[in-house]
Amino acid sequence: MRWLGLIGQDKLAALSLFLVSTTLLAGLFAPFLAPHSPEEVHMELRFAAPSWEYWLGNDPLGRCVLSRLLYGIRPSVLWVGVALVLSAGIGTIAGFAAGYFGGAADAVLMRICDGMLSFPGYVLTLAVIGILGVGLENILIAFALMKWAWFARVIRTSVRQYADSDYVRFAKTLGFGNVRIMARHLVPVALPDMAVAASSAFGSMILQISGFSFLGLGIQAPHAEWGMMLNEARTVMFSKPELMLAPGIAIILVVSAVNYLSDSLQLALDPRLAASRRAPRGRTVAGSAKLQGSEVA
């Protein structure tokens, strides 16, 4: 777990990791942490200010904003993670098959990926929603169908660099099976690219599902979701703008933490980037000056 220690050296990266982990745990244990039911309506408490019983106040239907915020983690983050694992799994299998075997398998799979990537992601998602209908499940299916080609491209490029290396050829000479060779020799070298690609896609998928829910194409009422909470507060955004703060800040914080954690993860898993970052600035400047002097001479 060397990468975890390297991330811990960066205070902002450690804070991002803590924020993402806390968010995931809060969504997982939302039934135990939420003070009220997220769907419980109290019209006498509509637009109520924060209090000891309702820490973040009440929405236009008198529902607890804090409870809905906690339950909104599930579709906004946890279920997005499930779709990410599914699409990354499909893309990993396709990428390894194309990068390791090459030939016809590589040509066919990459042409399919080219066809999938030729369409903007939002257009494909809207097409799937138009065919299957609105709802969280259909958006997650659209994510799985949309993202796997991007993962396959990234992983294929990473695997292709080492598929013809000497140690892979030596393993084939010894009679090792293809699955064993890929698991033992290619997965470790492709794992950094897989982790960085997955973490960078995670933030964009959170934004996308929140955006579709804001447009009314995602999870439907009365279930809680951050984008839907923004849509519900939009009608009173000028008279009660504070109702947009909780879900808006939650989306900004989580997506920013995921994106920064992705950059830190790439730095921790890539030895070349880590070495360049650890190099003293003065030594780098002196080395470049020495190089320039030798070129002039």
Side-chain angles (χ1 to χ4, degrees):
M1 302 296 281
R2 181 183 60 87
W3 63 271
L4 191 60
L6 293 175
I7 290 179
Q9 296 176 3
D10 188 342
K11 294 182 179 179
L12 190 54
L15 179 61
S16 300
L17 180 61
F18 173 77
L19 181 60
V20 173
S21 303
T22 303
T23 302
L24 294 175
L25 290 176
L28 189 62
F29 295 102
F32 304 99
L33 297 176
H36 303 279
S37 172
E39 303 173 7
E40 186 177 350
V41 176
H42 297 281
M43 294 303 295
E44 70 278 5
L45 296 176
R46 62 193 305 263
F47 302 123
S51 62
W52 286 109
E53 186 176 1
Y54 298 93
W55 288 8
L56 296 180
N58 301 77
D59 68 358
L61 295 178
R63 297 170 297 190
C64 178
V65 174
L66 176 59
S67 300
R68 293 183 64 79
L69 193 69
L70 291 173
Y71 273 89
I73 297 174
R74 294 189 162 192
S76 299
V77 182
L78 293 182
W79 283 111
V80 168
V82 173
L84 177 66
V85 171
L86 180 60
S87 58
I90 298 173
T92 298
I93 295 173
F96 267 91
Y100 180 76
F101 294 106
D106 185 20
V108 172
L109 287 172
M110 289 303 102
R111 297 299 76 75
I112 296 175
C113 291
D114 290 341
M116 296 293 296
L117 295 174
S118 62
F119 297 95
Y122 279 100
V123 174
L124 281 179
T125 305
L126 289 174
V128 173
I129 294 174
I131 296 172
L132 301 179
V134 299
L136 177 64
E137 298 83 0
N138 297 334
I139 291 182
L140 296 180
I141 293 174
F143 282 167
L145 295 175
M146 178 182 63
K147 293 290 185 181
W148 75 267
W150 182 68
F151 283 107
R153 269 290 185 187
V154 173
I155 296 170
R156 180 257 183 194
T157 303
S158 179
V159 172
R160 197 65 182 163
Q161 298 176 2
Y162 304 96
D164 294 329
S165 58
D166 293 337
Y167 59 86
V168 172
R169 293 180 179 179
F170 183 69
K172 292 180 180 179
T173 304
L174 294 178
F176 291 167
N178 293 324
V179 176
R180 183 177 179 182
I181 293 175
M182 286 188 284
R184 188 169 184 177
H185 298 291
L186 296 180
V187 169
V189 296
L191 187 61
D193 292 335
M194 294 164 56
V196 172
S199 59
S200 61
F202 192 31
S204 66
M205 292 171 70
I206 294 175
L207 281 178
Q208 289 177 22
I209 197 170
S210 298
F212 283 120
S213 296
F214 178 79
L215 296 175
L217 301 176
I219 191 170
Q220 300 298 301
H223 304 292
E225 198 276 333
W226 290 349
M228 176 183 286
M229 293 176 67
L230 284 174
N231 186 29
E232 293 171 345
R234 179 177 55 87
T235 57
V236 292
M237 62 181 299
F238 295 107
S239 59
K240 298 289 183 180
E242 64 273 8
L243 292 177
M244 303 188 71
L245 289 179
I249 292 176
I251 293 173
I252 293 173
L253 288 179
V254 172
V255 173
S256 300
V258 169
N259 289 337
Y260 190 85
L261 190 60
S262 174
D263 295 339
S264 301
L265 189 63
Q266 182 179 11
L267 184 65
L269 294 176
D270 193 331
R272 293 169 298 180
L273 293 178
S276 63
R277 184 175 181 179
R278 289 194 301 266
R281 185 176 182 86
R283 183 181 301 175
T284 304
V285 174
S288 60
K290 182 178 180 180
L291 179 61
Q292 293 176 359
S294 63
E295 291 176 350
V296 172

